Amino acid sequence: LQEKKKQARLMQKALEAKEQAFREKMGVMCCRWRDLHSKEAQLESHMERYGRTLKENDAMRRQALKKAINEREKRVQKDRELLRAKRELEDLREKHQKLFNKVQKYSIFKKYLEDVVKVSQFEDIQGVTSHYRTLRGVCKDLLQARQGHLEMTKKARQLLDQYTAEKEAEILQHRNELVQLQLRLDQAQSDSLHW
């Protein structure tokens, strides 16, 4: 019995030693598990920060790309506007040159008009040009009136021709009727003689 008790105590000690070893192992495992969870949380935190950084970098890249595209479009538009402005400037220079040449060409007419004013009843060039404009307006009105009269004459002639044609047709119809009546008369006279 004592030997059994002794064995039981030895077994109890061995069991307690094993249990103690198991508890120590479990403690080490728990520590490792906590470290693992801690490292996993850190890793998730790093991954989250890395993901945010990637998103921010992507957003910044897209924004920079959009800004570059907008700036390129603005530059192209400004280049177009500059080209258009240069063309307009060139056109204005050409017009200016043409007008200058015209002024030079017509300067002899100014001298002529000044000479006309000296020898006429007009007081200045403005009076001569206004008189010329008045005469030109009267001439235009006369031409329009003449054209109106010609159109009225043409319409009257057309109406006369139409009326003449209608009357000629009526005369022809009456002649035909007269001829038929004459034939009937002749036939009636011939029949009356015969009767």
Side-chain angles (χ1 to χ4, degrees):
L1 186 62
Q2 281 181 350
E3 199 171 307
K4 288 281 184 190
K5 281 184 181 179
K6 189 176 178 184
Q7 280 180 354
R9 270 183 285 182
L10 283 175
M11 291 214 38
Q12 183 72 29
K13 281 184 185 178
L15 190 62
E16 285 177 6
K18 280 186 179 180
E19 200 174 308
Q20 183 65 30
F22 180 73
R23 275 194 212 116
E24 287 175 5
K25 279 185 183 179
M26 284 302 286
V28 169
M29 290 291 263
C30 282
C31 284
R32 282 186 181 171
W33 192 255
R34 273 193 301 261
D35 289 344
L36 186 63
H37 277 299
S38 168
K39 286 181 181 178
E40 191 177 354
Q42 286 177 355
L43 186 61
E44 283 179 8
S45 171
H46 284 304
M47 288 295 286
E48 194 176 308
R49 272 184 285 165
Y50 181 70
R52 273 198 309 262
T53 305
L54 277 178
K55 285 180 184 176
E56 288 172 2
N57 287 344
D58 192 42
M60 284 170 50
R61 184 181 57 79
R62 273 189 263 128
Q63 189 175 4
L65 186 63
K66 191 186 284 185
K67 188 176 179 183
I69 289 170
N70 286 340
E71 286 177 0
R72 189 181 316 129
E73 286 175 358
K74 285 179 184 175
R75 189 172 59 245
V76 167
Q77 188 176 358
K78 284 182 181 177
D79 288 345
R80 283 188 200 136
E81 288 176 3
L82 182 64
L83 186 63
R84 185 179 50 77
K86 283 180 180 177
R87 285 183 190 149
E88 286 179 5
L89 180 63
E90 192 61 35
D91 290 344
L92 288 173
R93 282 183 180 153
E94 286 178 12
K95 285 180 184 176
H96 177 266
Q97 187 62 41
K98 285 178 184 176
L99 288 173
F100 180 75
N101 291 341
K102 231 178 207 181
V103 166
Q104 293 297 320
K105 182 179 172 184
Y106 294 138
S107 63
I108 58 169
F109 295 111
K110 183 180 178 195
K111 174 119 176 55
Y112 174 75
L113 286 174
E114 287 171 352
D115 292 342
V116 167
V117 168
K118 285 177 188 173
V119 296
S120 68
Q121 78 271 13
F122 298 107
E123 295 180 7
D124 57 359
I125 294 174
Q126 197 69 25
V128 174
T129 55
S130 65
H131 184 67
Y132 170 74
R133 284 193 193 105
T134 305
L135 289 176
R136 207 168 75 187
V138 168
C139 182
K140 186 178 177 185
D141 292 343
L142 288 173
L143 283 173
Q144 284 178 348
R146 181 174 178 257
Q147 187 68 30
H149 290 307
L150 285 174
E151 286 177 9
M152 285 174 56
T153 306
K154 186 177 176 183
K155 284 181 183 176
R157 188 170 288 133
Q158 286 175 349
L159 288 172
L160 180 63
D161 290 345
Q162 183 181 354
Y163 181 74
T164 306
E166 287 174 3
K167 291 305 170 190
E168 284 176 358
E170 282 181 26
I171 290 170
L172 186 62
Q173 184 181 358
H174 289 308
R175 280 187 184 159
N176 286 339
E177 287 176 6
L178 186 62
V179 166
Q180 287 193 1
L181 288 172
Q182 187 68 41
L183 284 173
R184 283 177 61 195
L185 177 66
D186 290 345
Q187 183 68 35
Q189 284 175 352
S190 149
D191 287 347
S192 71
L193 286 175
H194 179 39
W195 288 342

